[in-house]
Structures are given as C-alpha cells and as structure tokens.
Amino acid sequence: GPGTHNWDISMYKTVTLTEKLKGELRVESYNTFNHTQYSGVDTAVKFQDRNSTTNINSLFLQPTSARPSRRVQLAVRVWF
C-alpha cells in the first residue's frame, strides 16, 4: 500500500504558581503537517465478459480512502 509520512509533535510548559501550586500547559498535534495519507487502494480488476482483456474498473489502483487529517489537542494539568 501507499507509504505514510506522519509527524506528531507535543510541547509543554510547567509553571510554578505558588509554593504548593504548579500547572502544566500542553499542546499536542497529530499529523502536524497535514500530509494526505491514503489508506485504501482499489485493486479489483473488472472485465466486461470472460473473453475481454479490457479493464472496465475506472478506479483500478486509485486511492479510495485516507487516514484522518491534522488533530490538535490542548490540555491543562494542575498539581496542588
């Protein structure tokens, strides 16, 4: 099948608010650069009849589905 070109990135920052209170801000991104990643290819060969050598499947070897696009997740964590 088609190859994948996938980048997942995570960044976080820990902040001390008081002596007993800390926080963490986090940003996570999946498929960061939003490259199209095909997951299905039509491999069915279809002929008109038994004696024909002409393929009538117009989607033969064409991508038919793709993996999810870019997703971003934000999170906040608090320690006390």
Side-chain angles (χ1 to χ4, degrees):
T4 59
H5 188 77
N6 193 22
W7 286 77
D8 298 337
I9 295 177
S10 175
M11 297 184 296
Y12 68 92
K13 173 73 174 171
T14 303
V15 180
T16 303
L17 301 170
T18 65
E19 188 175 311
K20 294 183 179 182
L21 186 63
K22 286 185 182 179
E24 180 181 86
L25 305 171
R26 180 179 290 267
V27 177
E28 297 172 343
S29 175
Y30 305 98
N31 190 10
T32 302
F33 300 115
N34 207 25
H35 292 145
T36 304
Q37 301 175 54
Y38 298 109
S39 59
V41 176
D42 190 349
T43 58
V45 179
K46 299 174 187 169
F47 299 105
Q48 288 180 341
D49 56 36
R50 288 184 176 176
N51 299 325
S52 176
T53 59
T54 305
N55 182 9
I56 61 169
N57 183 5
S58 61
L59 294 177
F60 182 62
L61 295 180
Q62 297 296 315
T64 56
S65 60
R67 292 180 178 92
S69 59
R70 178 187 306 130
R71 291 172 289 170
V72 178
Q73 177 175 301
L74 305 173
V76 176
R77 175 185 262 177
V78 179
W79 292 282
F80 54 93

